[in-house]
Amino acid sequence: MATVSRNHPWWQDAIVYEVYPRSFADSDGDGIGDLAGVRSRLPYLSELGVDAIWMTPFYPSPLADGGYDVSDYRDVDPRLGTLAGFDELVADAAGYGIRVIVDLVPNHCSAEHPYFRAALAAAPGSPEREMFIFHDGRGRDGAEPPNNWQSVFHGAAWTRVTEPGGRPGQWYLHLFDRGQPDWNWRNPAVNAYFEEVIRFWLGRRAAGLRIDVAHGLFKDPGLADVTEQPLAHRPSAYYHRAELHELYRLWRVILDSYVPGEFPGARTAVGEVWYDSPATLMPYLAETGLPQVFNFQLILARWDAADMRQAIEAVEGMAGGDRAPWVIGNHDVPRPVSRYAAGLGGAPNDSAPLPRVGDPELRAGMRRARAAALLMLALPGSAYIYQGEELGLPEVVELPDEARQDPAFRRSGGTARGRDGCRVPLPWTSTGSSFGFSTGNRQGGHAAPWLPQPGYWGHYSVATQIGDPGSFLSLYRAALTLRRTHPALGRGSDDDPGTPLMTWQDSAPRTLCFTREPGFTFAANLGQATVPMPPHARVLLASDPVTDGKLPPDTAVWLAS
Ligand code: NOJ
C-alpha cells in the first residue's frame, strides 16, 4: 500500500511485514515456503495494508540456522526459487506499492561458503584463512580453544579444524553455530566483498537491508577472554565495538547514492542491534550511521503499564520511531500472545514455560496482544509486524523434539526450547493437510510442511478470520487503514515542527494514555479492573468491545478527541 505522499523518506513511518519465507506460503508442494508463494500472497499483504516486506534469508544455505548460514550471498536457494523469481517478486510487489527489504548477514557465513572451504583447504596464515578468524589453540598441542568465548547457541564459540595434512590444527570462531564461521572484519577484502553484495541487491531494486547481528562483526584483535557471555549484549570483546560506526557510515553513503525518485526510492537499512541498555544503542543512532536500528524495548517489556511506558520512553528520548522502528515480535522470540499470557517479556532464546492452547491464561494473552498491537501502531514512526502476528498465532509449544530444527535446541541438548515454535508454517485455510500453506501439487500430493502444524491451526487461519469483524486479522486491517489515513498517526503531521509527536496524559494506575495531534487519543488498561475512558468524541477502534465510556482490563482504544 503506497505511503501517503509526505515530504520524507517512505521508511520513516512504514509498516514493514516480516516474511519468514520457508513458513509463509509454499507454491510447489515440497513443504517449504518459497518466493513464488510470497508472490501469490501479495494481494493478501496489500489488503492488510503494509508498505514493505522484509524477507529473512532466502539464499542458498545448508540450514544450520534457518538460512542465517549463507553459502552464496548473491543467489536464491533453489528450494525457494531463482534470481529471476526474486526480480518478479520485486516487480509484482511494486505493482501493489509494496517494497522488498532483504536480509544481509555480515557477521558470519555458512561453513559451505566457497571462501570458507578455501580457507579450510589453505595453510594457517594464508590470505584465505585471513578472511575468517582462525587462531591456534591454547594448552598442550593447542587442544584448548583460543579463549573462553561462548556461542549464542551454547557451547564454545570455537571449532578445531583438521589441517589439510590430516593433523589437528587451528580453531575458527563462530559466535553462533559451528556451521556459521565469523568473517574477519579487520580484513579489507571482507569489506570489499560485502560492498559488492550490498550493491548487488540494491541494484535489483531491494528497498533496503535488514542487517543481522549489526552489533557483532568486529572482534577484539587480542581475542581477550570475557567475563560475561554473549547474551549479556553489553559492549565487549565481540559486541558493540567502536569500529562498527565507521563501517556503517560507509554503508550509509552507498545507500544514499540510490537517489530517491523511481520506486522503490530512498533505500533504508535497519540494524538488528541487541543491547543491554538504551545507552549502548545510542552510537548506532548517529545521523550519519544506518538509517534505522530496531527499538527492541517493546519486545522486552512485560504486559505491565510501567514497563511499557518505560519501554516507550527509553529510546524515544534519543530517537523517534522513524529512526528506531517498533516491534513486538519476530522470528527469534516467543509469540506475543503466549508471552503476554505468561506475563513475560521476550528475549531471544528464552525458555521460560509458555501456556498451551486451551489453557485459560491464553485468552488474556490474546486480549493483551490485540491491545499491544494498537499500542505499537499508534506510536510515532515505523513498525514491523512478524508474519502471523496479525492472526494472533500463539507459540506452538507442543512441537515434538524430533521436529525441532533450531541449533539452540540441538546445541543445548534440549534445555533451550529454541525458536521453532514461532516459525510454524502459516495457516491460510481452516482445513486441509497443510491448512493451505502448500498450494502446488507434486506427484502424489503435498509433502508435509517442514515444521508440523498443530491440529488447532485452522482455527487461526486467514480463511477463518477474514470475514469475522471481531477477528485479530480484522483488527490489524482496520488499524492499518486508520493509521494510513489519520493525520496524527504514522510519522505524524509535518505542518508544525514545534508540535510534539506524542504527549503522555495523566491516567489511572495500570493504564497508559497519550495524545497525538490533531485529535487523537490512545488509552490502554493493563490492569485487572475496569476504568473510565478518557474524554473523547468517538471511539475510532477498540482492541475488544467497549461500552459506556468504560475501558475493560487488557483493552486498548483509539479515540477521536
Ligand atoms: C539474528 C537472526 O534473527 C537469528 O535468527 C539468527 O539465528 C542470528 N541472528 C544469527 O544469524
Side-chain angles (χ1 to χ4, degrees), residues 513-525:
C513 182
F514 59 81
T515 50
R516 300 192 61 186
E517 296 304 331
F520 177 87
T521 299
F522 172 86
N525 180 0

Side-chain angles (χ1 to χ4, degrees), residues 227-370:
T227 49
E228 286 178 311
Q229 295 300 339
L231 285 180
H233 290 132
R234 285 187 225 288
S236 72
Y238 42 70
Y239 282 165
H240 303 296
R241 308 283 301 176
E243 300 89 326
L244 284 169
H245 303 296
E246 178 56 27
L247 178 69
Y248 294 149
R249 271 195 289 280
L250 289 171
W251 287 4
R252 180 64 180 264
V253 171
I254 298 177
L255 290 160
D256 287 351
S257 71
Y258 291 80
V259 278
E262 200 195 330
F263 197 87
R267 310 300 165 93
T268 190
V270 55
E272 185 218 20
V273 178
W274 288 98
Y275 45 90
D276 58 329
S277 76
T280 305
L281 187 65
M282 179 103 112
Y284 297 87
L285 293 164
E287 271 307 307
T288 50
L290 296 176
Q292 300 180 293
V293 287
F294 281 116
N295 177 350
F296 286 130
Q297 295 298 133
L298 282 183
I299 280 191
L300 297 167
R302 290 176 310 123
W303 186 248
D304 170 90
D307 243 37
M308 285 281 176
R309 176 156 176 177
Q310 207 181 19
I312 293 163
E313 288 176 328
V315 173
E316 265 280 304
M318 304 187 300
D322 54 338
R323 291 290 314 282
W326 307 99
V327 267
I328 57 172
N330 64 29
H331 66 284
D332 290 328
V333 297
R335 292 270 187 195
V337 164
S338 307
R339 237 166 55 211
Y340 295 136
L344 297 170
N349 297 330
D350 197 339
S351 290
L354 294 169
R356 290 170 172 265
V357 165
D359 288 352
E361 59 272 40
L362 212 64
R363 290 187 78 82
M366 297 287 280
R367 293 176 64 91
R368 292 170 184 171
R370 293 167 66 94

Side-chain angles (χ1 to χ4, degrees), residues 265-546:
R267 310 300 165 93
T268 190
V270 55
E272 185 218 20
V273 178
W274 288 98
Y275 45 90
D276 58 329
S277 76
T280 305
L281 187 65
M282 179 103 112
Y284 297 87
L285 293 164
E287 271 307 307
T288 50
L290 296 176
Q292 300 180 293
V293 287
F294 281 116
N295 177 350
F296 286 130
Q297 295 298 133
L298 282 183
I299 280 191
L300 297 167
R302 290 176 310 123
W303 186 248
D304 170 90
D307 243 37
M308 285 281 176
R309 176 156 176 177
Q310 207 181 19
I312 293 163
E313 288 176 328
V315 173
E316 265 280 304
M318 304 187 300
D322 54 338
R323 291 290 314 282
W326 307 99
V327 267
I328 57 172
N330 64 29
H331 66 284
D332 290 328
V333 297
R335 292 270 187 195
V337 164
S338 307
R339 237 166 55 211
Y340 295 136
L344 297 170
N349 297 330
D350 197 339
S351 290
L354 294 169
R356 290 170 172 265
V357 165
D359 288 352
E361 59 272 40
L362 212 64
R363 290 187 78 82
M366 297 287 280
R367 293 176 64 91
R368 292 170 184 171
R370 293 167 66 94
L374 288 198
L375 170 63
M376 174 171 83
L377 298 174
L379 290 169
S382 167
Y384 276 59
I385 299 169
Y386 174 46
Q387 68 180 39
E389 230 159 72
E390 80 280 16
L391 302 176
L393 295 184
E395 184 83 358
V396 180
V397 288
E398 50 281 272
L399 281 175
D401 285 359
E402 56 284 7
R404 292 189 182 269
Q405 309 216 356
D406 188 340
F409 178 77
R410 192 174 11 91
R411 285 179 62 98
S412 69
T415 55
R417 176 179 48 227
R419 301 158 296 176
D420 296 302
C422 66
R423 299 175 177 180
V424 173
L426 290 190
W428 293 93
T429 56
S430 57
T431 55
S433 58
S434 66
F435 298 104
F437 168 65
S438 294
T439 45
N441 256 320
R442 301 192 320 164
Q443 219 180 358
H446 304 146
W450 69 278
L451 274 177
Q453 299 162 305
Y456 55 75
W457 221 216
H459 170 74
Y460 291 92
S461 69
V462 173
T464 307
Q465 298 199 33
I466 207 144
D468 171 4
S471 71
F472 239 99
L473 180 57
S474 299
L475 178 72
Y476 265 86
R477 283 169 63 151
L480 293 181
T481 302
L482 255 167
R483 190 181 179 280
R484 211 166 39 243
T485 46
H486 197 297
L489 291 179
R491 187 169 175 274
S493 164
D494 280 337
D495 297 347
D496 177 2
T499 311
L501 287 174
M502 62 184 281
T503 308
W504 289 103
Q505 305 294 330
D506 288 339
S507 64
R510 290 178 279 284
T511 66
L512 296 172
C513 182
F514 59 81
T515 50
R516 300 192 61 186
E517 296 304 331
F520 177 87
T521 299
F522 172 86
N525 180 0
L526 290 79
Q528 301 293 311
T530 296
V531 295
M533 246 188 248
H536 60 278
R538 103 180 161 273
V539 176
L540 297 169
L541 193 60
S543 61
D544 271 298
V546 290

Side-chain angles (χ1 to χ4, degrees), residues 65 68 108 153 176 210 212-213 272 331-332 419 423:
D65 179 20
Y68 282 95
H108 45 263
F153 297 148
F176 293 86
R210 176 270 190 185
D212 189 58
V213 201
E272 185 218 20
H331 66 284
D332 290 328
R419 301 158 296 176
R423 299 175 177 180

Side-chain angles (χ1 to χ4, degrees), residues 34-40 42 45 53 55 58 83-95 98 100:
D34 46 41
L35 299 190
V38 181
R39 270 178 77 200
S40 74
L42 285 169
L45 295 171
I53 55 177
M55 301 283 291
F58 48 77
L83 273 177
F86 174 81
D87 294 339
E88 284 163 3
L89 170 62
V90 170
D92 283 7
I98 295 175
V100 179

